[in-house]
Amino acid sequence: MGKEELEKKLRPPLLELKDYPAKYITVASGDKMVVRQCTHKDVSVLLGAIIPLIGATKDFYDIVAARMYAEILGWYRYRVANEYVLAGTIDGEIVGIVNGRLVDKDIGMSYHTLAVRRGLRIGAHLFAAKMEYHLEYLKQSEVWIVAESPIGFRRWMIEYSLENRGDKFPKVYHELGGVPTYALTKKLYDKVKDQKVTGTRPVDSKLLSTADTLKLPEEYVQIPGFRRSKK
Amino acid sequence: MRTVQIVGIGHTMFGNLSEYDLVDIMSFASLNALEDAGILDKRDLVEQVIVGNMGAGMLSHQSGIASSLVSRIKMEPAMAELVENGPASGASAVKMGYAVIAGGLADVVLVTGGELMRDVTGWEATDFVASLLHPEAEYRYGLSLPAFGGMFTRMYMERYGLTEKELAMVAVKDHENGNKNPFAHVKLSCTMEAINEGPHASVVNPFIAEPLRLYGMCPVSDGAASLILCAADSSKMKYFKKEPVTIAGIGSATDTHCVHNRKDPLILDAVRISAERSYKMAGLKPDDISFAELHDAFIILELAISEEVGFFKRGKAREAVVKGITNINGSLPINPSGGLKSKGHPLGATGVSQIFELVKQLRGEAEKGRQVKNPKTGMAVNFGGFGNNVVTTICTKE
């Protein structure tokens, strides 16, 4: 068996995913955060943005960063089926990343939400964008979700009133481990959509172009003293 | 009574300091104040330590924290006591420090306020603060402080025609100041478009206790602040290196525990009376105040308190906001520190932190862009309960 043929056997079968149309949100600071879908050409910058946070223990950034790093690498290397990545950028700089995948046509699997810049509800907006992608653009019936930090539990399980599917184990089983799985159904999503999901489309070309080439974050509040370049 | 002056100030960052314990953060602020006063190596000059704190027992499972602080910063055998007066614990601790000196029990007092609130979940923190409500008539029905803030705001809007836009303007102003304060918890500027006027505002700035939105509430914060007080007539004054600031007036007052027992829930008697007492003691009137730090745990309180202390007529504070009078470059800047809204609200620390800010401003040491122009007199109002125990302090340069 040749190398290329072997590689084909290592790759999962893929569903064709409809694109997530970019949008922007004016966050509290007045900055316009562009939320757009990432492609493989963005991967090196995404990984570069994530890697410093693998050492940040506060608020469980370490586990979220380490897992997201592996998930995005898995997507890039074609080892995870039907994965997608969305990035939030302000002036091109990555301020947050979310990812997930499709289990099948109907069920979505939320992976991680990483807010790089804090204090602007970046994580909340990007998680909402991820749910919007699954339930409105991919037309799925529900998304399976677990939380790996208290902030995540409060933001997702409580604020979205997610359904606890712990009693359905192992039929309903989130890939991030044995933590009880919760689900956001389309019905629950529709109830909270007005309070959670926002953004303007289409994004005008000038603003959208700022997000064409992703930039690494200059600073991380999670890592005191970190500065990428001397200004 | 002896004149009491502030000769040293200290402060920690406000925010999430949960990697430290409560006495750690109070130590940081205390040592910072001793250093500012120039007596870090002469700390035996301090005869009395008074700590302001509300939740050490409930949140940190620790009691006796005043003596613990003394021991941590090696100030034995100084006298040490704890003052607990809800969210007004900090200013009450300053008042007790004032009384100790004025009464002749000591010449030099260290007052430190501190609180560690982020070591517990937000629900636990909210429940802890709600423990100051009436246990039978309020708490058992699920009332919390944000709920009172929301109801107060609704009543105020209905009576005086205050709009959401005007409320948002207060938040924008406070965040503008807080963004320049190195100690602030939420250090960011926000815009009217983002939190009030734009198409995304209702999600970016969601309701927390309607009509109060996220940007109408203070954050839950950890932090500590300290002051060194000294009798103006003490021979020990020679040890202090900075120009002292005088506590010209300090007064407090109480109101009914249950808000529903008040004739009019919008009238904050304890604020008004504590301010009158401090004006009387200082021999000053509202027009003499150059700037103020007001307890805006909920943004509505900045407006209501500014009216009760006599800066504006009832229902008119909103006009002052619209005209920019309370901006940093206005004729009466309010909350140049960013207030509780942006700087944060570690309960026991807040009252001390407000007076720290008065001193910093009166010394002319505030950061660029948030220094009040030539201030002579500053006022701080520390609001306990839902207005049932309030302390007002007036400081002057002379």
Side-chain angles (χ1 to χ4, degrees):
Chain A
M1 190 183 294
K3 203 173 164 185
E4 283 181 13
E5 202 176 341
L6 183 59
E7 173 62 22
K8 276 182 195 166
K9 290 192 180 296
L10 295 174
R11 292 187 179 191
L14 298 175
L15 294 170
E16 196 168 326
L17 307 191
K18 189 177 176 185
D19 288 343
Y20 178 80
K23 67 177 179 180
Y24 79 87
I25 301 166
T26 305
V27 295
S29 58
D31 293 307
K32 291 185 167 33
M33 175 173 73
V34 175
V35 184
R36 74 152 171 89
Q37 189 154 25
C38 296
T39 65
H40 278 198
K41 78 174 173 57
D42 299 313
V43 166
S44 63
V45 185
L46 290 169
L47 296 181
I50 294 166
I51 205 162
L53 293 169
I54 292 175
T57 54
K58 202 167 185 175
D59 291 336
F60 297 85
Y61 269 90
D62 50 1
I63 187 170
V64 172
R67 285 184 180 239
M68 183 180 260
Y69 188 97
E71 288 153 7
I72 292 178
L73 194 58
W75 169 57
Y76 182 69
R77 297 285 201 183
Y78 298 96
R79 295 296 182 266
V80 182
N82 315 320
E83 189 176 345
Y84 66 88
V85 179
L86 307 180
T89 71
I90 293 177
D91 298 327
E93 189 172 310
I94 296 172
V95 294
I97 307 167
V98 285
N99 64 336
R101 78 176 198 91
L102 280 71
V103 177
D104 57 29
K105 196 169 67 59
D106 294 323
I107 306 294
M109 181 79 65
S110 174
Y111 277 172
H112 284 97
T113 300
L114 185 78
V116 175
R117 201 175 288 185
R118 301 195 70 180
L120 295 171
R121 296 174 62 79
I122 299 283
H125 294 314
L126 290 178
F127 179 84
K130 175 158 69 166
M131 297 304 122
E132 180 189 34
Y133 187 34
H134 281 284
L135 299 170
E136 292 201 51
Y137 291 96
L138 299 172
K139 307 283 184 200
Q140 296 199 285
S141 56
E142 64 181 47
V143 187
W144 293 354
I145 300 162
V146 291
E148 287 177 332
S149 71
I151 293 174
F153 191 87
R154 191 181 71 232
R155 279 278 158 80
W156 327 140
M157 281 60 184
I158 306 294
E159 291 188 12
Y160 281 77
S161 302
L162 300 184
E163 283 182 20
N164 187 341
R165 298 285 176 79
D167 59 337
K168 301 276 194 302
F169 179 87
K171 196 178 166 198
V172 176
Y173 181 40
H174 198 287
E175 291 164 358
L176 293 182
V179 182
T181 302
Y182 286 74
L184 180 67
T185 62
K186 181 69 165 62
K187 195 175 166 189
L188 287 175
Y189 172 80
D190 287 340
K191 267 191 191 171
V192 297
K193 185 184 162 188
D194 287 349
Q195 293 99 55
K196 302 291 183 195
V197 185
T198 190
T200 296
R201 294 187 176 91
V203 184
D204 78 64
S205 56
K206 192 177 170 195
L207 179 60
L208 190 59
S209 69
T210 64
D212 278 350
T213 305
L214 299 181
K215 293 180 203 161
L216 292 168
E218 277 295 319
E219 292 174 296
Y220 294 83
V221 290
Q222 304 88 342
I223 310 168
F226 181 99
R227 189 169 280 276
R228 194 172 298 280
S229 60
K230 288 176 189 170
K231 274 190 174 173
Chain B
M1 272 202 308
R2 303 164 91 190
T3 297
V4 178
Q5 296 184 305
I6 300 167
V7 293
I9 56 174
H11 212 287
T12 68
M13 285 288 298
F14 279 5
N16 187 340
L17 304 177
S18 54
E19 67 265 43
Y20 302 106
D21 71 33
L22 174 62
V23 179
D24 280 341
I25 64 170
M26 292 196 301
S27 301
F28 299 151
S30 302
L31 293 170
N32 193 215
L34 290 164
E35 189 176 21
D36 179 72
I39 60 163
L40 195 55
D41 299 325
K42 298 185 199 74
R43 61 187 86 169
D44 57 333
L45 287 170
V46 177
E47 300 152 272
Q48 166 83 59
V49 174
I50 298 183
V51 166
N53 170 268
M54 177 175 164
M58 290 174 75
L59 296 178
S60 307
H61 196 64
Q62 193 171 3
S63 56
I65 55 169
S67 37
S68 175
L69 173 65
V70 166
S71 188
R72 188 76 63 91
I73 56 177
K74 302 200 183 312
M75 287 180 65
E76 304 97 331
M79 300 179 277
E81 268 84 29
L82 169 70
V83 174
E84 192 277 295
N85 184 22
S89 297
S92 281
V94 176
K95 189 180 159 208
M96 292 304 114
Y98 184 100
V100 164
I101 294 173
L105 201 59
D107 278 5
V108 183
V109 173
L110 166 68
V111 180
T112 296
E115 207 78 59
L116 202 62
M117 303 177 71
R118 297 194 59 110
D119 209 22
V120 297
T121 64
W123 302 302
E124 288 172 296
T126 302
D127 180 65
F128 151 65
V129 181
S131 68
L132 58 79
L133 300 177
H134 193 286
E136 297 299 319
E138 295 174 336
Y139 179 85
R140 72 180 295 181
Y141 294 105
L143 273 167
S144 64
L145 271 294
F148 268 115
M151 289 191 284
F152 189 92
T153 306
R154 173 67 69 207
M155 280 190 79
Y156 190 101
M157 287 173 127
E158 286 177 359
R159 186 174 303 174
Y160 300 117
L162 175 76
T163 64
E164 276 206 44
K165 183 177 178 177
E166 289 160 344
L167 262 184
M169 289 174 80
V170 182
V172 169
K173 169 189 72 71
D174 286 353
H175 275 280
E176 191 61 36
N177 293 338
N179 193 29
K180 299 181 183 99
N181 183 346
F183 301 118
H185 181 171
V186 186
K187 208 179 301 173
L188 64 87
S189 293
C190 55
T191 66
M192 286 301 289
E193 184 206 356
I195 69 165
N196 180 258
E197 296 164 347
H200 313 138
S202 64
V203 174
V204 167
N205 187 18
F207 283 123
I208 303 293
E210 199 175 347
L212 276 180
R213 292 179 178 273
L214 180 67
Y215 278 81
M217 330 278 284
C218 68
V220 175
S221 316
D222 303 325
S226 296
L227 306 172
I228 311 261
L229 312 183
C230 184
D233 61 5
S234 170
S235 60
K236 292 176 179 173
M237 280 300 281
K238 64 177 182 271
Y239 293 104
F240 303 112
K241 62 180 184 183
K242 291 199 174 169
E243 197 65 29
V245 163
T246 302
I247 299 178
I250 189 160
S252 64
T254 51
D255 200 346
T256 63
H257 191 183
C258 294
V259 174
H260 68 259
N261 284 339
R262 299 175 194 169
K263 270 187 195 165
D264 182 342
L266 284 186
I267 305 292
L268 300 168
D269 277 336
V271 173
R272 193 187 65 257
I273 295 165
S274 73
E276 285 168 357
R277 287 173 177 164
S278 65
Y279 284 131
K280 187 178 174 191
M281 182 174 165
L284 297 170
K285 51 191 187 309
D287 285 350
D288 298 317
I289 304 297
S290 313
F291 70 100
E293 284 288 309
L294 305 182
H295 191 112
D296 57 337
F298 310 109
I299 207 79
I300 186 70
L301 289 178
E302 179 172 318
L303 302 178
I305 292 172
S306 69
E307 292 166 2
E308 290 291 357
V309 301
F311 294 159
F312 311 110
K313 288 184 178 163
R314 284 192 200 288
K316 299 293 180 189
R318 66 196 188 95
E319 291 173 14
V321 172
V322 172
K323 289 175 184 165
I325 289 169
T326 57
N327 288 350
I328 195 70
N329 296 317
S331 56
L332 179 56
I334 292 182
N335 287 328
S337 71
L340 284 60
K341 172 71 207 78
S342 170
K343 185 180 62 177
H345 184 25
L347 303 176
T350 289
V352 184
S353 170
Q354 290 177 309
I355 299 169
F356 169 100
E357 177 69 12
L358 300 191
V359 175
K360 200 167 171 177
Q361 290 285 350
L362 290 167
R363 283 179 178 175
E365 292 179 350
E367 289 71 25
K368 194 180 170 192
R370 63 171 210 92
Q371 172 66 54
V372 177
K373 275 183 203 156
N374 303 316
K376 300 274 190 295
T377 308
M379 170 187 274
V381 177
N382 192 190
F383 185 90
F386 203 80
N388 63 6
N389 202 332
V390 179
V391 184
T392 300
T393 309
I394 296 174
C395 290
T396 59
K397 262 184 179 172
E398 290 80 25

